[in-house]
C-alpha cells in the first residue's frame, strides 16, 4: 500500500535545525530553541525538573489548572513553593508579583502561564517580566495557548524558559513542541545535580548532544510527520503574517464576547474584564439554573464540528469554552457557535435574541 505519509525519506539534521530556526524567528528570540519530540507537557515538565531543586524558592502563579500542575512538579523537585492564586475569572498583576517578592525576597524562580485556554484569561507578561528581571529570578513561561494568538517575546520580556506548542492558535500538530532557553537557564541546569540526564525529559542531553555539536547529528530519530507538520504550520503563519494571524484571533475573541452579551438568556463572559480575556479562546458562564456541559451537548448535537466545549472538571457545570483558535479563528466559526448556543438556551426555555448576537458579533469583527 502506498500513502503520502509512508516511506518518507529520513528527516535530516539540517532540516530539523532549519525548523528550529523558523520557530526562533517566530518568537523573535536569539536564545537557543529546542524542538522536542512530544506534546508540550514534555518541555513544560522537563524545564522545571532541569532548573528546580531543594535549593529553589519558587513563586508559582495560579490562574488556571496548569499553574496548579506546575506547583506539583516544583514540590516534587524539592523546591519551596509559594503559590500566588488569583480567581480564574481574572488575571494576575505585576503589582501582585512585586508584593510577593517583597514578602519573600528569597524567590529565585517564577512560573507563569501566559494564556489559560482552560479558563480564558491572559496575563500581562511584559509587565511581570520587568519585575522578575529586577529581582534576578529565573522566569519560566507556558506560552502554549498564547503563541499565534498574541505576542510572545521571550527576549524582550526577560523569559528564560518559554514553552510553546503548535496545536492551538498556530493551527499545527500536538505531538511536537518547543522551548527557548536562555544562557541563565542553561547555567541553572548545569548547576543542578538533580536535572534529568539520559532521559527523554532532559534538556541538557539536547544541549550536549545536539546544540554543542553544531546541530549536525540528531540525538535520536525525530518524529518525522510531526516535524513536517510543524514546518508547514510555521510556513502558513509566515505566509499570512504573524500580525495578521494574531489580529484574526483578537477579532474572533472580541466578536464572541460581543455576540454572547447580545444573545441574552443569562449567558455572560466568564472573564470579567475584556482586557484580561485571552484571544485564543473565549469562556462563558452558563446561565443560573443550567449546566454548561448539557448546553454544549445540545449545541453540538446540531453541528458536532463547532469549536465548543464545556469547562474541565468542576468547571463543566458553569463554563462554556468557544475555542476560536487556529483554523476556527473566523467569522463563520463565531457565528456558528453563537447560533448553536442560542438554540440550546432556547430549548431550555430561556429568552435569547440570535439576530442581535449575530449583528453584535459582525459589528465587532468589522469595527
Amino acid at each position: 500500500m502506498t500513502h503520502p505519509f509512508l516511506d518518507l525519506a529520513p528527516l535530516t539534521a539540517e532540516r530539523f535545525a532549519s525548523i528550529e530556526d523558523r520557530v526562533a524567528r517566530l518568537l523573535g528570540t536569539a536564545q537557543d530553541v529546542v524542538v522536542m519530540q512530544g506534546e508540550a507537557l514534555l518541555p513544560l515538565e522537563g524545564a522545571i525538573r532541569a532548573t528546580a531543586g531543594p535549593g529553589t524558592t519558587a513563586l508559582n502563579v495560579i490562574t488556571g489548572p496548569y499553574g496548579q500542575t506546575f506547583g506539583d512538579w516544583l514540590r516534587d523537585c524539592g523546591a519551596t513553593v509559594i503559590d500566588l492564586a488569583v480567581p480564574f475569572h481574572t488575571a494576575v498583576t505585576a503589582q501582585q508579583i512585586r508584593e510577593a517578592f517583597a514578602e519573600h525576597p528569597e524567590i529565585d524562580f517564577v512560573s507563569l502561564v501566559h494564556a489559560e485556554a482552560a479558563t480564558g484569561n491572559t496575563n500581562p507578561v511584559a509587565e511581570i517580566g520587568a519585575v522578575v528581571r529586577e529581582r534576578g529570578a529565573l522566569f519560566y513561561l507556558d506560552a502554549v495557548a498564547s503563541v499565534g494568538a498574541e505576542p510572545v517575546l521571550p527576549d524582550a520580556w526577560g523569559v528564560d524558559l518559554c514553552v510553546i506548542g503548535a496545536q492551538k492558535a498556530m493551527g499545527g500538530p500536538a505531538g511536537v513542541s518547543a522551548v527557548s532557553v536562555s544562557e541563565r537557564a542553561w547555567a541553572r541546569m548545569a548547576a543542578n545535580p538533580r536535572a534529568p540526564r539520559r532521559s527523554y525529559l532532559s534538556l541538557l542531553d539536547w544541549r550536549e548532544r545536539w546544540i554543542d555539536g553544531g546541530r549536525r547529528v540528531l540525538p535520536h530519530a525525530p518524529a518525522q510527520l510531526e516535524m513536517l507538520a510543524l514546518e508547514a504550520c510555521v510556513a502558513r503563519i509566515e505566509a499570512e503574517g504573524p500580525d495578521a494571524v494574531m489580529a484574526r484571533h483578537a477579532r474572533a475573541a472580541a466578536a464572541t464576547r460581543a455576540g454572547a452579551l447580545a444573545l441574552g438568556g443569562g449567558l455572560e463572559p466568564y472573564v470579567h474584564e475584556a482586557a484580561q480575556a485571552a484571544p485564543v479562546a473565549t469562556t462563558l458562564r452558563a446561565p443560573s439554573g443550567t449546566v454548561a456541559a448539557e448546553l454544549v451537548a445540545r449545541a453540538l448535537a446540531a453541528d458536532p464540528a463547532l469549536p465548543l466545549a464545556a469547562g474541565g472538571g468542576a468547571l463543566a457545570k458553569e463554563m462554556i469554552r468557544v475555542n476560536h483558535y487556529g483554523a476556527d479563528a473566523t467569522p463563520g466559526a463565531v457565528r456558528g457557535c453563537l447560533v448553536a448556543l442560542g438554540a440550546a438556551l432556547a430549548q431550555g426555555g430561556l429568552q435569547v435574541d440570535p439576530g442581535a448576537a449575530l449583528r453584535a458579533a459582525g459589528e465587532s469583527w468589522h469595527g
Side-chain angles (χ1 to χ4, degrees):
M1 185 180 88
T2 60
H3 192 282
F5 292 162
L6 300 177
D7 304 316
L8 298 173
L11 190 73
T12 65
E14 181 181 15
R15 190 165 183 182
F16 193 106
S18 75
I19 296 170
E20 288 184 330
D21 291 342
R22 291 173 84 164
V23 172
R25 286 196 295 274
L26 181 67
L27 297 175
T29 183
Q31 298 177 1
D32 291 323
V33 169
V34 179
V35 172
M36 299 194 75
Q37 307 297 281
E39 198 271 338
L41 282 173
L42 174 63
L44 285 169
E45 181 175 358
I48 281 180
R49 295 195 181 277
T51 51
T56 302
T57 300
L59 175 63
N60 180 51
V61 182
I62 301 175
T63 58
Y66 280 100
Q68 294 170 328
T69 297
F70 300 159
D72 292 340
W73 287 339
L74 286 161
R75 289 182 178 90
D76 191 52
C77 291
T80 299
V81 181
I82 298 154
D83 286 325
L84 172 56
V86 302
F88 289 178
H89 64 259
T90 187
V92 72
T93 67
Q95 181 58 31
Q96 287 173 300
I97 302 295
R98 192 180 300 279
E99 290 168 0
F101 272 110
E103 187 174 352
H104 301 279
E106 70 275 18
I107 291 168
D108 61 359
F109 184 101
V110 175
S111 52
L112 175 71
V113 178
H114 186 183
E116 287 267 12
T119 52
N121 53 34
T122 190
N123 292 302
V125 182
E127 298 169 20
I128 291 168
V131 177
V132 177
R133 274 199 308 275
E134 288 174 12
R135 298 296 183 139
L138 204 72
F139 193 11
Y140 163 101
L141 184 70
D142 171 355
V144 173
S146 56
V147 65
E150 54 187 308
V152 176
L153 302 168
D155 293 12
W157 297 343
V159 179
D160 295 289
L161 294 156
C162 182
V163 177
I164 67 166
Q167 68 266 34
K168 287 189 167 64
M170 289 178 67
V176 68
S177 49
V179 54
S180 65
V181 187
S182 73
E183 284 302 319
R184 290 198 327 141
W186 285 129
R188 180 80 71 98
M189 293 179 208
N192 181 9
R194 298 177 56 152
R197 304 305 305 269
R198 296 167 294 282
S199 164
Y200 207 58
L201 285 172
S202 177
L203 284 166
L204 282 174
D205 287 358
W206 274 97
R207 180 170 199 184
E208 292 180 1
R209 299 177 60 191
W210 173 240
I211 295 171
D212 290 350
R215 299 192 299 175
R216 289 190 293 269
V217 179
L218 285 161
H220 52 70
Q224 181 159 338
L225 292 178
E226 286 79 5
M227 289 298 296
L228 294 175
L230 176 61
E231 182 181 50
C233 155
V234 175
R236 186 168 61 183
I237 292 171
E238 291 170 345
E240 183 177 351
D243 289 344
V245 175
M246 289 186 284
R248 184 161 49 82
H249 283 82
R251 286 196 295 269
T256 301
R257 190 179 184 91
L261 286 168
L263 182 61
L267 196 67
E268 59 184 27
Y270 189 85
V271 177
H272 295 180
E273 301 293 332
Q276 296 177 344
V280 68
T282 296
T283 49
L284 304 169
R285 189 179 297 277
S288 177
T290 67
V291 176
E294 295 174 359
L295 289 172
V296 169
R298 280 188 224 145
L300 291 177
D303 186 354
L306 289 172
L308 285 170
L315 294 175
K317 294 181 179 180
E318 63 180 10
M319 180 189 287
I320 298 166
R321 288 172 49 191
V322 183
N323 295 318
H324 46 65
Y325 52 70
D328 287 318
T330 63
V334 171
R335 288 196 300 267
C337 289
L338 291 171
V339 169
L341 287 173
L345 290 166
Q347 287 176 34
L350 296 170
Q351 295 295 315
V352 293
D353 190 342
L358 293 178
R359 286 192 297 275
E363 290 169 4
S364 174
W365 189 285
H366 298 292

